[in-house]
Every structure is written in C-alpha cells, then in structure tokens.
Amino acid sequence: MATRKIDREQIIEQALKTLATSNSFADFSLRKVAADLHIDVSTLYWHFKNKQEILQAMAEAVITQVTIPATDLEWTTQLKQLFSNVFDIYEQYPLSATLMIETIPSALVRLQLIERAIAIMTDVGIDEQTANVAVTSIDFLLTGVMIDLTTEAHFRQKITAEKNQNLLTHVKKIHELAQSHHLTHMQTSIKMRNQFSAKQQFAMGLDLIIEGLKQHLPTKN
Amino acid sequence: MATRKIDREQIIEQALKTLATSNSFADFSLRKVAADLHIDVSTLYWHFKNKQEILQAMAEAVITQVTIPATDLEWTTQLKQLFSNVFDIYEQYPLSATLMIETIPSALVRLQLIERAIAIMTDVGIDEQTANVAVTSIDFLLTGVMIDLTTEAHFRQKITAEKNQNLLTHVKKIHELAQSHHLTHMQTSIKMRNQFSAKQQFAMGLDLIIEGLKQHLPTKN
DNA sequence: ACCTGAACACCGTTCAAGT
DNA sequence: ACCTGAACACCGTTCAAGT
C-alpha cells in the first residue's frame, strides 16, 4: 500500500545525506543508502546502472549549486569569488571534494564552471595556456585543501571515537620528529595549520597563483 | 620445510608491486598481496597492526627514494628539481600519489622534504607563511596531476578491457557538450591535455607559483 | 615466534521472482 | 514498471589452533 515509488532524485538526495554522515569516502556504501531509504540495495540497480553512475549524479547535484559571479567585477575578484563559491558548496556537502576526484567531470555545469574560470583570465589578455594551467592548479589546490580537511576530521574522529590509538601515535610522531630533528619550519607549519581555517589557507594559495598570473597580463599599450 | 619466514620489508616490497599492477587504489587489497606472497592474509596481521599501518610503511618506502638537490643552486632551480624528483618517484611507483593522500605524513623523510622545500624559500627571504602556502599548493598540484593521470589510465583501462561502455559515454559527453554548448576554452583545454605530458603540466603550474613567489622576495637593499 | 583456517561483518552486482 | 531476496565473489579483521 501507499505509493512505494522512489525516483532518481530521491536516491541522490539521500545518497548525499548518507555521504555527509560518513566518516570517510570508503565508509559510504550503497547498502547504507538503501537502508536509509528503507528499500533493498538491489532496487538502486533498477534506477542506476551501477555505483559509478550514482556518484556521477551526486557530483552533478553538488556542482549545480555553485553560482557564477557577475562579469562586471574586476577579474581577480571574479576568480576569487567563483572559487570561494565552490569552496562553500564543497564545505556544505561533506566529502563532496572526494566525489569530484572519483568522478569524470562530464556534467555540463562542471564544464561551464571551468569554461567561465578560463574566460575570466583570457578576457584580460592572459594566454589560453596559462589560464588553463591556472585553473588546474587552483582546482587541485581547492580539492587538496578540502580533502585534507575531511581526512583530518576522519582521523580525529577515528582517534577519539574508536580505540584507534595507533593513528594518534602517527600524529604525535609528527610533533616529536619535528622537535627532535629540529625541523623548525615544520613546527611553524603545524602552528599555521591551527591558526588559519582551510578557507583562509586556500585563499592564500589562490592569491599566490593570482600574483603569478599578473605577470602574464599584457603590458599596457 | 625451508625457512618460511617473511619479514616486514618483503611484505612492503610486494605490496608496492601489487599496488603498481592494480587498476585503481580500490582494487588494491591485502588478500591480493598475501596471495602474491603465497601466504595467508591473516599472516599479515602478525607483522602489521592493520591495513593503515601497511599503507604508512608503503608510503614511507616510496618517499625515502626522493633525493634532495644540492643547496648551492639557485632557489628556483632547487625548488623545481626537488619536486621534479618527487614527481619521478611517484611516476615510478604507480598509484603512490594516492598512497600519500591516504596516509598521515609521519615518516621522517617526508617531514624533512617539506622542511627542505620551505627552507629553500625562506633562505632567500620569503616569509614563513608564504613559503608554507607555496609548499602546500605545489604539493596538492603535484598530487592532483598524478592522481588525474592514474585515474585517467584507470578509466581508459576499464573502458577498453571491460565491457564498461558507460564510462566511455562520459568521456564522449565531455567532447559533445564542449562542442554543442560552444565551450571554446574547454575544447582547447582538452587539446592541451593531449599535447603536454603530466610532468610538463605540473612544471607549468609550478612556474606560475614561482612567479607569484618572486613577488615576495625582499626588495634589494 | 611465526603462520594457518575458519569465521564474522561488511562490500558491489546480478538475476530470477514477485507485484 | 518497479521492487525484493537470495546468491556470488569480493573485502578487512579476529582468534583459536597449529608448528
């Protein structure tokens, strides 16, 4: 009784929720998604070909949320705002950065985002090649910072919640080695990590790349 | 009969070989490592606490191979050479970039590598904070390019070897969407990807970051 | 001290069978 | 058209038992 019909949209919606409550990407499973939906796992295979297709749909659902900044702003502002928007969305959907790595960027919105980012740069005279390299670099930086953040949270969770003492050993080891071997830069590096948020760290990296990009602006008249 | 003793070193050696012949990081399993060693999986648990510890040891074995360039070279040369060395080692050990993401960088050599990279920059007067951000950015860029490379190879393999037709669909979709939606930058982006090797793409990204770093050099006298 | 075998609780995927 | 249940081939991890 009652319409038991479940559509792709509902599945993806729940999948993202299930992913968000997972401790790691490896923890995320279709069986858990199905359980949360109160349906059998095999049902998912009527709506989707396989797990990969579900991940693709999830990635697309996330990236669709990103808004593109107005084109009348200064190019550096546009670039910063665009990636800031991406960052915020990734942060809103925990583990979605991993999702992007695990999927092929075939969603139109995702391609349009890259297109826009490159256009922002070429519009001010930066050559196509440099703009391309910049987007790749910024994208990897963003994804890297994001994944680092979730991985750290995952490890932290594993250390506190579970009996997993040996992970704590590794974290402690970093501090000890940094001290005993007088790795002074590593020590300040650790301090920096605690001092600045992930978003701030990303912003600083982006600034560095932008400074490099400025060297590629055409010389005035 | 015959000494059946197997030590940690042999396990890690084989584990890296098994990882190298895996199509993806997910494909890599302890059961396969054990099978390749002609021992039972459970034996691994006598030598190591769990899979995580084996991954840590594998990551350490790989990173140890990286050589640090001479300190009398120009700072940009040192930086390029250092990361070029890392790139080559990662390339030599397929999927090792993923390994670095999955593990905590608690190995001394790995910390020393970061320490050296930061020192190269601070030695010429770049502030600690910028140097830190730069290392993080370069590291993520390198790992990103590397993972992209192996992921692509993985997808390519899946498409040709297996019946996996739907992955091919996604790849084709990118080209089609780029054309039908007039994503001109995306089209040249695809061309660039085929034109330059992964190492070249990384080198270009590194150059961009270095150009940004140069803006942080102290003004002469 | 070192290794095995069986067992446990998990996966993704398939497929005949139900409505 | 949509969903289930059972089965298959995989995982990592534990542990009593062997040498």
Side-chain angles (χ1 to χ4, degrees):
Chain A
M1 51 199 63
T3 165
R4 271 260 151 270
K5 280 240 195 98
I6 256 178
D7 59 10
R8 290 169 63 99
E9 207 183 339
Q10 287 173 280
I11 291 172
I12 297 308
E13 197 188 335
Q14 180 57 56
L16 284 171
K17 278 185 195 164
T18 307
L19 179 66
T21 56
S22 300
N23 288 325
S24 69
F25 194 78
D27 262 20
F28 172 79
S29 76
L30 296 187
R31 292 183 114 98
K32 279 176 190 159
V33 176
D36 291 342
L37 283 168
H38 305 292
I39 59 170
D40 197 276
V41 213
S42 55
T43 306
L44 297 176
Y45 286 81
W46 194 90
H47 296 277
F48 292 93
K49 249 193 164 175
N50 49 37
K51 191 179 187 180
Q52 182 67 33
E53 295 297 316
I54 294 180
L55 296 179
Q56 292 285 151
M58 289 166 73
E60 180 161 358
V62 170
I63 209 74
T64 305
Q65 318 253 9
V66 178
T67 55
I68 291 174
T71 52
D72 58 349
L73 299 164
E74 223 253 307
W75 71 279
T76 58
T77 314
Q78 278 189 61
L79 219 51
K80 286 181 192 182
Q81 214 165 90
L82 176 61
F83 284 103
S84 168
N85 290 349
V86 176
F87 191 99
D88 291 342
I89 298 295
Y90 282 5
E91 211 168 30
Q92 208 175 310
Y93 291 88
L95 289 171
S96 60
T98 316
L99 204 54
M100 300 304 155
I101 286 202
E102 298 282 338
T103 53
I104 297 180
S106 66
L108 179 59
V109 258
R110 208 156 147 197
L111 298 180
Q112 284 172 332
L113 224 62
I114 299 170
E115 178 80 10
R116 193 78 273 282
I118 297 176
I120 291 171
M121 291 179 261
T122 54
D123 281 356
V124 290
I126 292 167
D127 63 292
E128 198 89 19
Q129 186 173 308
T130 304
N132 234 295
V133 169
V135 176
T136 310
S137 303
I138 298 168
D139 187 36
F140 285 143
L141 174 62
L142 172 50
T143 317
V145 170
M146 238 24 255
I147 288 180
D148 232 42
L149 197 71
T150 51
T151 308
E152 212 183 301
H154 169 223
F155 281 143
R156 211 187 293 278
Q157 195 275 344
K158 249 189 165 174
I159 289 166
T160 54
E162 300 169 32
K163 67 252 160 183
N164 214 317
Q165 191 69 20
N166 37 314
L167 273 174
L168 185 60
T169 313
H170 285 292
V171 177
K172 273 189 184 165
K173 203 177 160 189
I174 297 177
H175 287 78
E176 285 170 10
L177 286 174
Q179 287 201 331
S180 63
H181 286 76
H182 306 293
L183 307 179
T184 56
H185 300 301
M186 267 307 301
Q187 286 175 281
T188 55
S189 172
I190 293 167
K191 274 184 206 147
M192 253 197 68
R193 273 181 84 88
N194 299 329
Q195 197 175 357
F196 298 104
S197 71
K199 185 156 187 181
Q200 282 174 313
Q201 281 175 272
F202 167 67
M204 290 189 276
L206 179 53
D207 278 334
L208 200 59
I209 293 172
I210 286 178
E211 281 176 298
L213 276 171
K214 280 180 181 166
Q215 310 309 116
H216 288 266
L217 286 172
T219 48
K220 280 163 198 165
N221 46 304
Chain B
M1 53 199 65
T3 164
R4 271 260 149 272
K5 280 239 195 98
I6 257 177
D7 60 9
R8 289 169 64 100
E9 206 184 338
Q10 287 173 278
I11 291 172
I12 297 308
E13 196 188 335
Q14 179 58 55
L16 284 171
K17 279 185 195 165
T18 307
L19 178 66
T21 57
S22 300
N23 288 324
S24 69
F25 193 78
D27 262 20
F28 173 79
S29 75
L30 295 188
R31 293 183 113 98
K32 279 175 188 160
V33 176
D36 290 343
L37 283 168
H38 306 292
I39 58 168
D40 197 275
V41 213
S42 56
T43 307
L44 297 175
Y45 286 81
W46 194 89
H47 295 277
F48 292 93
K49 248 194 166 173
N50 50 34
K51 191 179 186 179
Q52 183 67 33
E53 295 297 317
I54 293 179
L55 296 179
Q56 292 284 151
M58 289 166 73
E60 179 161 359
V62 170
I63 209 73
T64 305
Q65 319 253 7
V66 178
T67 54
I68 290 174
T71 53
D72 58 349
L73 300 165
E74 224 253 307
W75 70 279
T76 57
T77 314
Q78 277 189 62
L79 218 52
K80 287 181 192 181
Q81 213 163 92
L82 176 62
F83 284 103
S84 169
N85 291 350
V86 176
F87 191 99
D88 293 341
I89 297 294
Y90 281 6
E91 212 169 27
Q92 207 175 312
Y93 291 89
L95 290 170
S96 60
T98 316
L99 203 56
M100 299 305 154
I101 287 200
E102 299 281 339
T103 52
I104 297 179
S106 66
L108 178 59
V109 257
R110 208 158 149 194
L111 298 180
Q112 284 171 331
L113 224 61
I114 300 170
E115 177 80 10
R116 192 79 271 280
I118 297 176
I120 291 171
M121 291 178 262
T122 54
D123 281 357
V124 291
I126 292 166
D127 64 292
E128 198 90 20
Q129 186 172 308
T130 305
N132 234 295
V133 170
V135 176
T136 310
S137 303
I138 298 168
D139 188 35
F140 285 144
L141 174 62
L142 172 50
T143 317
V145 169
M146 237 24 254
I147 288 180
D148 232 43
L149 196 71
T150 51
T151 308
E152 213 184 300
H154 170 221
F155 280 144
R156 210 187 294 278
Q157 194 274 344
K158 249 189 167 176
I159 288 166
T160 54
E162 299 170 33
K163 67 254 162 184
N164 214 315
Q165 191 69 21
N166 37 314
L167 272 174
L168 186 60
T169 313
H170 284 293
V171 177
K172 274 188 182 164
K173 203 178 160 188
I174 297 176
H175 287 78
E176 286 169 11
L177 286 173
Q179 287 201 332
S180 64
H181 286 77
H182 306 293
L183 307 179
T184 56
H185 299 302
M186 267 307 300
Q187 288 175 277
T188 55
S189 172
I190 293 167
K191 275 184 206 145
M192 252 197 69
R193 271 181 85 87
N194 299 327
Q195 199 176 354
F196 298 104
S197 71
K199 185 155 186 181
Q200 282 175 315
Q201 281 175 273
F202 167 67
M204 291 188 277
L206 179 53
D207 278 335
L208 200 60
I209 294 172
I210 286 178
E211 281 177 299
L213 276 172
K214 281 180 181 166
Q215 310 309 117
H216 288 265
L217 287 172
T219 49
K220 282 163 196 166
N221 42 307

